[in-house]
Amino acid sequence: MVFNTEKKAGEKIFFACHSSFSLNIAAQTNLSTSENYIYTKSCLDADCIKKSEAVQYFDGLGRPVQSIALKATPLGRDVVTPIEYDSKGREAKSYLPVPQSGTQNGAIYANPLGNASSAGYGNERIYSEKIYDHIYTGRVNQLVPPGNSWSQKPANMSYGTNTDGEVRKFIITTGWLDGRTDSGISYPEAIPPTS
């Protein structure tokens, strides 16, 4: 920057000031540059020595496909939660978090479920599953919880409509009478199910 200051008529003094500032941040992450992601770092103390880091990867349609909690276990290993979609693009399986055998410093895992049996899950079913309706594509018909025992007890969803006379319309009237409010409730008729 150059400042121009006039001292006397015709005499000028120039001050030259050059400022250079460089900041290099050494990232300890190894994020996958070929994937879409959001990296989150939360400092747990003032100098950010204790921190919580997470990466969420997305596919080309903006749907989350994998969430990674970096070094989230007491042994400093990553915890990965994969998300699986069906052929129509709906979330079909929601997996439990799977601790990995080490850390990849934020890089996406090609096979995040490969470590599930040695991570304490054994041969258990580690995902819940949504079974969708064939006609109404966004409607869930059945929720199957995780676990081998619970997968035999799915939650079935049912949908219905109201019958004639089942829904009532209440009318509340409020007025001012003798310096106080006067209210009344009436339900003159039932609402037809098509309304």
Side-chain angles (χ1 to χ4, degrees):
M1 289 191 277
V2 177
F3 298 97
N4 181 2
T5 307
E6 293 192 24
K7 189 167 185 165
K8 292 182 182 175
E11 183 180 346
K12 294 184 181 181
I13 300 174
F14 290 95
F15 295 98
C17 183
H18 178 60
S19 174
S20 146
F21 181 71
S22 172
L23 175 65
N24 293 329
I25 298 175
Q28 295 181 358
T29 57
N30 185 25
L31 303 173
S32 299
T33 58
S34 63
E35 303 288 335
N36 298 319
Y37 64 87
I38 295 176
Y39 169 74
T40 307
K41 178 180 179 180
S42 301
C43 295
L44 304 175
D45 58 5
D47 53 0
C48 207
I49 292 174
K50 292 182 180 180
K51 59 189 172 232
S52 170
E53 296 175 284
V55 181
Q56 187 170 26
Y57 285 97
F58 299 89
D59 64 5
L61 298 174
R63 301 175 302 185
V65 292
Q66 194 175 104
S67 295
I68 304 170
L70 278 72
K71 301 174 186 171
T73 67
L75 298 174
R77 298 175 180 164
D78 292 345
V79 177
V80 180
T81 306
I83 301 168
E84 191 175 311
Y85 297 93
D86 64 7
S87 61
K88 294 181 180 174
R90 304 169 296 194
E91 186 177 337
K93 295 180 181 177
S94 297
Y95 285 89
L96 297 174
V98 179
Q100 301 301 306
S101 59
T103 182
Q104 291 186 6
N105 291 322
I108 194 165
Y109 282 85
N111 185 14
L113 300 173
N115 197 40
S117 60
S118 63
Y121 291 120
N123 292 328
E124 283 293 315
R125 187 174 188 267
I126 63 166
Y127 59 89
S128 63
E129 188 174 12
K130 293 178 185 175
I131 309 297
Y132 291 93
D133 192 285
H134 296 294
I135 298 171
Y136 301 104
T137 57
R139 182 183 283 183
V140 177
N141 277 348
Q142 196 175 63
L143 290 172
V144 183
N148 291 340
S149 297
W150 286 103
S151 66
Q152 304 303 316
K153 300 171 179 78
N156 295 312
M157 306 294 172
S158 63
Y159 301 92
T161 60
N162 294 321
T163 60
D164 191 22
E166 190 175 30
V167 178
R168 298 198 176 268
K169 178 180 179 180
F170 291 90
I171 298 173
I172 299 174
T173 56
T174 303
W176 192 257
L177 179 69
D178 296 328
R180 62 177 175 83
T181 57
D182 184 36
S183 300
I185 299 175
S186 63
Y187 52 93
E189 61 189 53
I191 299 175
T194 56
S195 296

